Amino acid sequence: MAPPFDPADLPTGVQMPLSPLVARVLAPNPSPFTFTGTQTYVVGAADVAVIDPGPDAPDHLAALTAAIAGRPVVAILCTHTHRDHSPAARPLSEATGAPVIGCAPLTLEDDGPRADAAFDAAYRPDRVLADGEQVAGTGWTLQAVATPGHTSNHLCFALAEEAALFTGDHVMGWSTSVISPPDGDMAAYMRSMQRLLEREDKVYYPAHGDPIDNPQRLVRGMMGHRKQREGQILRFLERNGDSLIPDMVLEMYKGVDPRLHPAAGRSVLAHLIDLDQRGLVTATEDRWQMR
């Protein structure tokens, strides 16, 4: 369960320096799904990059303009295309002349349950970064690190000069990420987490929540949490047999805000799809059981 918070604890529209090269600006969109809101990062000194420009809200765009303070903007980078992350990219690009660079546009092509409402369908980058490609300015370099799982197009951005990683929604500072099929993929998420565990980053800057100063410990804990959840699902099916996802959520997410239960159900489904692909469970319509 996410900790309680007061949005006033982190005022929106204020540039908050975090390091010699990094400042953040909090968007005015707190919710049970975004915590205190989406954090946009401004990276650089003489010239800058803007990471996850956030929602297309006039107050937030004005705050970003103030944080940029007339400096050249080399790039506007998006970790993924959920609507709290990328919609401000295009108006900020029009205001600054900077290209929109980063993750690929996301198109869902299957006919199953979809999460289109959460995605920014208008996102059109000027350049898509492949894994390992870089964007650089005066005294800073950002490298794309492909981290599919939360979404298939998710990227993190590594700031070499400070051994820092901007983790978007892949690793957050307040809660685990929702993995929502068909685009969200639990197996891909775990592979991406293992990749981060093997890196040597010293600090994570997530899109939601505080900076993470011991990132490998947190990643290990999050991976352990997912394995524990997987075990809960298997034990539930062993005890109860043929079962529905809402029944699993009621037992496994006791104490969690009921408004988050539908999102929790999506992550349970992601676990079940992974377990099905590994030959451990199977489904008949919307009911799941052990093989």
Side-chain angles (χ1 to χ4, degrees):
M1 182 173 66
F5 72 93
D6 179 353
D9 291 343
L10 289 174
T12 61
V14 176
Q15 180 179 202
M16 181 179 296
L18 300 176
S19 80
L21 287 175
V22 179
R24 72 180 175 194
V25 179
L26 179 65
N29 61 337
S31 78
F33 297 95
T34 62
F35 193 40
T36 54
T38 304
Q39 295 171 153
T40 298
Y41 292 96
V42 180
V43 179
D47 51 25
V48 301
V50 177
I51 298 177
D52 279 343
D56 185 1
D59 289 351
H60 185 54
L61 284 164
L64 293 181
T65 300
I68 292 166
R71 292 173 291 178
V73 180
V74 175
I76 299 164
L77 299 111
C78 297
T79 60
H80 64 300
T81 49
H82 278 157
R83 288 188 300 176
D84 62 313
H85 287 258
S86 60
R90 189 51 55 190
L92 188 62
S93 173
E94 292 170 354
T96 63
V100 178
I101 296 176
C103 67
L106 178 57
T107 302
L108 299 177
E109 297 178 348
D110 64 275
D111 295 323
R114 306 169 77 91
D116 298 75
F119 290 96
D120 174 13
Y123 173 76
R124 295 290 182 273
D126 298 297
R127 176 185 165 199
V128 173
L129 285 182
D131 182 49
E133 287 192 309
Q134 296 181 345
V135 175
T138 304
W140 57 266
T141 307
L142 290 166
Q143 183 178 51
V145 180
T147 47
H150 175 64
T151 61
S152 59
N153 65 345
H154 198 287
L155 296 176
C156 295
F157 297 108
L159 177 61
E161 289 76 8
E162 295 189 352
L165 189 71
F166 298 89
T167 57
D169 282 2
H170 187 70
V171 177
M172 299 189 292
W174 74 291
S175 177
T176 54
S177 296
V178 173
I179 311 299
S180 181
D183 185 63
D185 184 307
M186 188 62 68
Y189 169 84
M190 292 296 280
R191 288 193 295 270
S192 294
M193 292 295 272
Q194 181 63 37
R195 183 180 188 191
L196 295 196
L197 188 62
E198 294 168 0
R199 291 177 54 86
E200 297 182 354
D201 304 297
K202 302 302 183 186
V203 61
Y204 286 176
Y205 294 120
H208 309 278
D210 289 332
I212 299 158
D213 293 327
N214 193 333
Q216 285 77 22
R217 182 174 64 187
L218 179 64
V219 169
R220 281 192 296 270
M222 286 184 165
M223 293 177 74
H225 169 76
R226 298 290 184 175
K227 296 301 290 184
Q228 289 174 348
R229 186 71 73 200
E230 177 183 291
Q232 283 183 298
I233 291 169
L234 291 172
R235 290 190 295 273
F236 185 98
L237 293 178
E238 287 169 350
R239 289 195 313 270
N240 298 287
D242 173 321
S243 300
L244 295 167
I245 288 175
D247 296 330
M248 300 182 212
V249 170
L250 283 175
E251 177 173 308
M252 292 188 290
Y253 290 83
K254 290 177 181 176
V256 171
D257 186 337
R259 291 175 295 177
L260 300 179
H261 282 190
R266 302 305 297 171
S267 284
V268 170
L269 175 59
H271 274 294
L272 288 164
I273 290 171
D274 180 35
L275 291 166
D276 186 11
Q277 292 171 344
R278 289 155 53 193
L280 297 174
V281 305
T282 188
T284 303
E285 295 183 349
D286 56 352
R287 305 190 73 91
W288 293 83
Q289 54 274 327
M290 300 293 295
R291 282 190 187 272

